[in-house]
Amino acid sequence: MSIVEQGLVVSGDIFGEVDLTVRGIIRGSVFLQNANLHIDQSGYVQGEIRAERIIIAGEVLGDVIAESGLQVASTAIIHGNIRTAKLAMAENAKFSGGLDIQEPEPVELEIRDFKTLSEEDYSKLRRWRMQNHIE
């Protein structure tokens, strides 16, 4: 797990495959593959965020794409569009933008049964979905 601590300002995009907690400021997009993102109450991100699971208690100015699920705390402020498969939003959370809740469709790659996928095929599918912005 990596942490952007309070008092730290990061300018530029962040790419990775490890869980990230943001307590400081990120002025750029955050793209995490197979990893989770937690924006603490003191955290602020100005840019698109994309991760497996996302928890927002701070502020985001940009689009939010959560592969598996998004949890929005009562202290959260989001100015941007949300796309996720599952959403939990607390009372008093502030949100301004569009909302798209959709489950992934297996027919995207003509796959009828996910249970028969090999680990390698599953990895290829996830990479393809990330590249094509498909949840």
Side-chain angles (χ1 to χ4, degrees):
M1 179 199 276
S2 295
I3 299 174
V4 175
E5 285 291 350
Q6 193 169 2
L8 186 63
V9 178
V10 176
S11 292
D13 296 339
I14 296 175
F15 299 88
E17 294 182 0
V18 297
D19 292 349
L20 176 65
T21 297
V22 178
R23 296 182 182 137
I25 297 171
I26 297 176
R27 296 190 189 283
S29 297
V30 179
F31 300 102
L32 303 179
Q33 187 169 0
N34 300 321
N36 303 317
L37 175 63
H38 180 212
I39 301 172
D40 237 14
Q41 193 169 346
S42 62
Y44 174 82
V45 177
Q46 183 178 357
E48 179 180 343
I49 61 174
R50 178 184 205 108
E52 186 68 30
R53 291 186 187 279
I54 300 174
I55 298 171
I56 301 174
E59 187 171 355
V60 176
L61 179 59
D63 291 345
V64 177
I65 302 170
E67 295 288 328
S68 298
L70 172 63
Q71 191 174 352
V72 182
S74 63
T75 56
I77 301 171
I78 301 171
H79 297 282
N81 299 314
I82 293 174
R83 189 166 71 182
T84 186
K86 296 178 184 174
L87 174 66
M89 185 175 288
E91 189 175 343
N92 296 325
K94 293 174 177 61
F95 165 62
S96 172
L99 176 61
D100 184 13
I101 298 178
Q102 63 183 21
E103 290 289 336
E105 295 184 25
V107 293
E108 294 159 356
L109 290 177
E110 297 179 15
I111 296 170
R112 303 273 185 249
D113 185 5
F114 277 104
K115 295 175 187 169
T116 62
L117 285 178
S118 69
E119 208 169 305
E120 181 180 334
D121 287 340
Y122 184 72
S123 293
K124 287 179 189 175
L125 175 62
R126 291 199 46 84
R127 282 193 300 274
W128 180 83
R129 291 170 112 170
M130 288 284 283
Q131 290 169 351
N132 291 287
H133 306 287
I134 296 172
E135 302 308 317

